[in-house]
Amino acid sequence: MVSRSFPQLLTCFNRTAVGSAGCRRFSITPPGRATPQSNTAVERVTSPWTLMAAVCLQRLPVITADCSPIEQRFKQMMQQMELEKSLLSDHELRLMEDAERMSRKQGNEYDSDEEEGHGDQAIMLAQDLEDTWEQRFKSFQPAPRVRADLDKDLTSVQRCLADSLVLLAEQQVGAEKLWLLPQAAWQEGETLRQTAERALCSVTAAGFKATFLGNAPCGVYKYKLPKAARTESSVGTKVFFFKAILADSAPGTAPNTALLWVKKSELQKYLKPAYMMKVDRCILSL
């Protein structure tokens, strides 16, 4: 086997293939040997679109929603069917046994030997237990399902516990302030999800803990700048949406910006139609 030096190999590669019409010549540049093009600074191609990431943060329902009329009728029907087909529970059997023993005790068929196992200990009847439970039930005060004063407070995360809420933040866009999903501009070196996490922390002062649903965006909203403000390097903005679920509703500090917790039916009051159409697709219907 004949070994060849690197210059000899270059000579072989630079030769045109014999007998092949139309063959193209190619060459290999050895390391450390610069070509005329390598001395020219290569300009990085930048996108004319500004990239941003936004968070569609939802607070899921805390309590069950009220039943509709047809759901209420179906519930009553199923309860009646379950009652008719069910067997007697241990407590119901004990009630029947106590009633039978009391009837024998009041009649002539009563035998005192039946109580020998209990001794002098007083017998707690099933009916006595029911009376005790009834008293406890009357003293129990459940929390109200509807709190009119709190439901009107759009800044409270505890409003409308039976509905799903979406977080909106007031942000400066150009010369006006708009209600938008929490968003931030993408920075070089970070992923879009990291940008979305930073956007959420910036508006809530790290007070809300959220669970992000995936690393890929669930939607995008694109808009162009006015013609007078457009340049070759800046045409418009692309906003990528990420879904997130509220995990902890106890804010650590006061929010940095004005925040609102709104229902899906209330979004049209605060969002522009084109923006709302994109956001509506990212909201979980639960």
Side-chain angles (χ1 to χ4, degrees):
M1 181 177 179
V2 180
S3 60
R4 296 184 179 182
S5 62
F6 189 76
Q8 291 176 336
L9 291 175
L10 289 179
T11 304
C12 295
F13 277 115
N14 287 332
R15 292 176 180 175
T16 306
V18 179
S20 300
C23 290
R24 305 179 67 180
R25 181 182 297 273
F26 61 94
S27 62
I28 298 179
T29 303
R33 187 174 179 180
T35 60
Q37 291 82 1
S38 62
N39 296 328
T40 305
V42 179
E43 295 183 359
R44 182 178 179 180
V45 179
T46 58
S47 173
W49 295 90
T50 301
L51 302 182
M52 303 189 75
V55 186
C56 183
L57 180 63
Q58 283 188 251
R59 191 223 64 189
L60 299 182
V62 179
I63 61 177
T64 57
D66 295 331
C67 296
S68 63
I70 189 173
E71 291 174 338
Q72 188 67 28
R73 293 197 301 269
F74 181 78
K75 176 182 177 182
Q76 294 174 356
M77 182 188 69
M78 294 301 296
Q79 289 177 345
Q80 184 63 27
M81 291 175 59
E82 182 180 358
L83 178 62
E84 293 175 356
K85 296 181 180 180
S86 63
L87 300 177
L88 294 177
S89 65
D90 293 342
H91 179 70
E92 291 172 324
L93 292 175
R94 182 178 175 184
L95 279 174
M96 296 174 60
E97 182 182 347
D98 290 345
E100 183 180 356
R101 186 170 68 249
M102 291 300 295
S103 63
R104 292 200 309 267
K105 189 174 182 179
Q106 294 175 358
N108 297 328
E109 299 178 359
Y110 175 69
D111 186 2
S112 60
D113 295 338
E114 296 181 3
E115 309 296 339
E116 289 181 357
H118 300 284
D120 297 335
Q121 182 181 2
I123 301 175
M124 174 67 74
L125 300 178
Q127 187 61 45
D128 297 334
L129 289 175
E130 284 194 1
D131 295 339
T132 304
W133 296 338
E134 186 70 21
Q135 293 297 326
R136 292 181 180 178
F137 176 73
K138 290 181 179 179
S139 61
F140 174 72
Q141 295 294 334
R145 289 178 55 88
V146 178
R147 293 174 290 183
D149 54 341
L150 190 58
D151 289 349
K152 295 179 181 179
D153 184 9
L154 298 179
T155 61
S156 174
V157 71
Q158 299 298 331
R159 67 181 295 260
C160 301
L161 298 178
D163 298 304
S164 178
L165 302 180
V166 179
L167 178 64
L168 298 182
E170 188 179 35
Q171 301 191 31
Q172 188 75 31
V173 179
E176 59 180 339
K177 288 187 176 181
L178 299 175
W179 288 105
L180 303 169
L181 298 180
Q183 64 182 25
W186 173 80
Q187 295 179 358
E188 187 175 357
E190 67 180 4
T191 63
L192 283 175
R193 169 166 171 171
Q194 291 173 341
T195 305
E197 293 174 347
R198 178 167 53 83
L200 184 60
C201 292
S202 63
V203 298
T204 61
F208 294 115
K209 296 181 180 179
T211 302
F212 280 76
L213 306 182
N215 297 322
C218 60
V220 60
Y221 173 70
K222 179 176 67 175
Y223 65 91
K224 291 185 177 181
L225 298 174
K227 292 184 178 181
R230 294 181 197 172
T231 62
E232 293 184 358
S233 60
S234 180
V235 175
T237 302
K238 292 182 180 180
V239 185
F240 294 89
F241 300 132
F242 285 81
K243 292 181 182 179
I245 301 299
L246 183 66
D248 185 4
S249 60
T253 57
N256 298 337
T257 58
L259 302 177
L260 293 180
W261 289 97
V262 297
K263 298 185 292 185
K264 186 176 180 179
S265 59
E266 299 172 338
L267 287 175
Q268 57 184 355
K269 299 179 182 178
Y270 303 96
L271 303 182
K272 292 186 176 182
Y275 185 81
M276 176 185 169
M277 182 177 63
K278 299 294 184 179
V279 173
D280 185 73
R281 299 175 182 176
C282 302
I283 298 177
L284 299 175
S285 299
L286 299 176

